[in-house]
Amino acid sequence: MNHEIMKEYRLKTVREVEGEAARPELSIFLPVFNEEANIAPLHLKLTRSLEQLGRTYEIIYVDDGSTDKSMAKLRELATHDERVRVIALRRNYGQTAAMSAGIDHARGHVLIPMDADLQNDPADIHRLLEKLDEGYDVVSGWRKDRKDKWLTRRLPSTLANRLISRISGVDLHDYGCTLKAYRRDALTDVKLYGEMHRFIPIYAGWAGARVTEIPVTHHARSAGVSKYGLSRTIKVVFDLITIKFMSSYLTKPLYLFGAAGLVCLIVSLISALLALYYRFFEGVHLNRMPLATLAMIMFAMGVQFIFMGLLAEMIVRTYHESQNKPTYLIRERINLEDDGGKTEL
């Protein structure tokens, strides 16, 4: 019996070693949506740059429900290059979902997302990797000399980037640049929703990753049309509110709801005292004073906020404890045996 167990263990170990050896060093993944004119020249430039690196790699194209001939072009690439892998989504889910699919299917030790519109330059990949080799976990591209329209693209982007940096505490000039390099560990358990692919460096930074950025080349679009406009800015603002809540109050939501409830109760108390003053010293009837109505409304809101905070606390504890989610992450252990990931909440 012990012999069989040891044999199974050795086979499992061999499979794990073989699987690790089969992993490419780099995984480049690109969301694609109606980019048929750009796919062939992009792939040519990309493969030339990657082959000069002397590292093993894979290229993952994620077709995000294209309605042109993009998917046919991708099939042709995959037929002639075994390092090309293609994922076709059932419909257009958006850039974040396509990025998430790329992350989920990437096998490399270093993950590098790019745009498929030829505005990112594949020649910059080696510079990202050199910076990563200095000990960083995330290297973000900064389109310092951006080739986009100033009023509709660059100005909103600049304002949004400053706001995001201020709120998140992760100081980057350009969150919107898709070209980045991540160590695989920095993307562990990352789940993306909404327009949150641009916030991956923030998630990584909160988890203790070392984040930096370098200027990268940005080209003007040579073919096709941009798929994103000012309407995306509104979505980013809402996602930013979510980011702020998750960064500051994910494990202590009562602090937020309780503070809002306390403010409402204070306003209610002040309104009630003023209403009583006018009633007894100025002879004004309560039914003629908006202050009395305001006091009741703010009192009810204050109580509701506090109870919402208590419910949120219960949900957070259920979230962490039911899935054994740790409230902290360890970068390194020295002279300590691995306890199997056990953490204290």
Side-chain angles (χ1 to χ4, degrees), residues 172-185:
L172 296 178
H173 291 88
D174 189 359
Y175 286 91
C177 180
T178 303
L179 183 60
K180 296 177 172 67
Y182 302 96
R183 295 191 190 276
R184 171 172 287 277
D185 292 345

Side-chain angles (χ1 to χ4, degrees), residues 95 146 151-153 156-157 195 198 225-236:
Q95 191 174 11
R146 187 172 176 179
L151 183 61
T152 58
R153 300 297 296 274
S157 178
E195 293 287 334
R198 68 189 63 250
V225 295
S226 175
K227 314 304 186 300
Y228 309 105
L230 287 173
S231 60
R232 189 171 60 170
T233 304
I234 300 174
K235 300 176 184 178
V236 172

Side-chain angles (χ1 to χ4, degrees), residues 253-306:
L254 185 58
Y255 288 10
L256 175 64
F257 291 105
L262 183 61
V263 170
C264 290
L265 291 176
I266 291 174
V267 173
S268 173
L269 177 61
I270 294 174
S271 299
L273 292 175
L274 287 174
L276 292 174
Y277 170 81
Y278 282 114
R279 174 65 184 88
F280 291 108
F281 294 96
E282 301 293 338
V284 181
H285 291 287
L286 292 177
N287 60 355
R288 296 183 179 180
M289 279 189 293
L291 285 172
T293 303
L294 179 63
M296 291 185 290
I297 293 174
M298 297 305 290
F299 178 79
M301 290 180 61
V303 172
Q304 287 181 341
F305 272 125
I306 291 174

Side-chain angles (χ1 to χ4, degrees), residues 31-45:
V32 177
F33 180 58
N34 292 344
E35 298 287 357
E36 62 173 305
N38 290 319
I39 289 174
L42 168 66
H43 187 72
L44 181 61
K45 293 181 65 175

Side-chain angles (χ1 to χ4, degrees), residues 26-32 42 46 50 57-63 83 85 87 95-108 110-116 120 125 178-184 187 192 197 200:
L26 309 177
S27 288
I28 294 83
F29 56 97
L30 306 89
V32 177
L42 168 66
L46 185 55
L50 292 173
Y57 67 88
E58 65 178 0
I59 303 174
I60 303 174
Y61 292 100
V62 183
D63 182 74
R83 292 166 298 188
R85 305 169 67 201
I87 302 167
Q95 191 174 11
T96 297
M99 291 274 288
S100 185
I103 293 172
D104 291 342
H105 292 82
R107 299 174 298 176
V110 174
L111 280 62
I112 302 174
M114 287 183 61
D115 284 329
N120 292 145
I125 292 178
T178 303
L179 183 60
K180 296 177 172 67
Y182 302 96
R183 295 191 190 276
R184 171 172 287 277
L187 295 180
L192 303 178
H197 64 276
I200 296 178

Side-chain angles (χ1 to χ4, degrees), residues 51 140 161 182 207 299:
E51 287 172 0
S140 180
N161 287 321
Y182 302 96
F299 178 79

